[in-house]
Amino acid sequence: MPNVKIYVDEDILGEHKAALRQILEPLREIVAQHLDVPHSACQLALLPVIAIKDQPAMNVEIHIMPRVGRTQKALEAMGAEIQQTLHDVTGRQVAFRCSQLDPTTYVTLK
C-alpha cells in the first residue's frame, strides 16, 4: 500500500486548499500508474505544518514495498511528476522523498 503524506506549509494550504484537495485524485492516479497498484491500495493525505520559510513549502513522503520495476529511475520519474503537479497548483517548491520498506520487518494492521 503506497502511503503518501504531503506536508504543506499552513500558509500555502490556506491559500490553495481547494485546489490541493482537487488534485488528490490525479495524484493518486500518478502513484497507481507508476507503481502498478489499484487506487484502493493508495492512501494520500495533506498535512498542514508550520515550517521554516527557507525550506520547500511542500514535502511529499511516500513509503512503499519493494517490487520488481521500482527502480531508482522509475521512482524519480514518479516523484518528478508529483512535484510538477503540486508546483502547477501552488507555484511553490516541492521536495520529494521515497522510501522502500523492509518486507521482513514491516507490520500493518487494518
Side-chain angles (χ1 to χ4, degrees):
M1 173 176 94
N3 187 358
V4 183
K5 295 179 183 100
I6 306 168
Y7 299 95
V8 183
D9 183 273
E10 67 180 7
D11 294 336
I12 305 305
L13 186 58
E15 291 175 40
H16 301 284
K17 188 174 189 174
L20 287 168
R21 185 175 288 165
Q22 287 181 332
I23 66 163
L24 285 174
E25 288 188 30
L27 288 172
R28 181 176 63 181
E29 182 63 31
I30 291 167
V31 172
Q33 285 183 351
H34 280 272
L35 299 179
D36 192 27
V37 296
H39 287 177
S40 61
C42 301
Q43 181 169 345
L44 285 83
L46 289 170
L47 303 164
V49 296
I50 298 171
I52 299 171
K53 298 302 178 193
D54 65 350
Q55 57 192 27
M58 289 174 283
N59 179 33
V60 179
E61 292 185 3
I62 180 169
H63 296 100
I64 59 174
M65 297 300 286
R67 186 188 283 178
V68 173
R70 293 183 180 174
T71 63
Q72 184 170 352
K73 189 173 185 173
L75 297 174
E76 286 173 354
M78 176 182 66
E81 191 171 349
I82 290 170
Q83 283 180 306
Q84 188 63 55
T85 301
L86 289 166
H87 180 267
D88 289 347
V89 169
T90 65
R92 293 310 197 57
Q93 183 182 7
V94 180
F96 175 82
R97 292 172 179 83
C98 179
S99 298
Q100 294 195 50
L101 303 167
D102 179 354
T104 63
T105 60
Y106 180 72
V107 175
T108 183
L109 303 171
K110 296 179 185 181

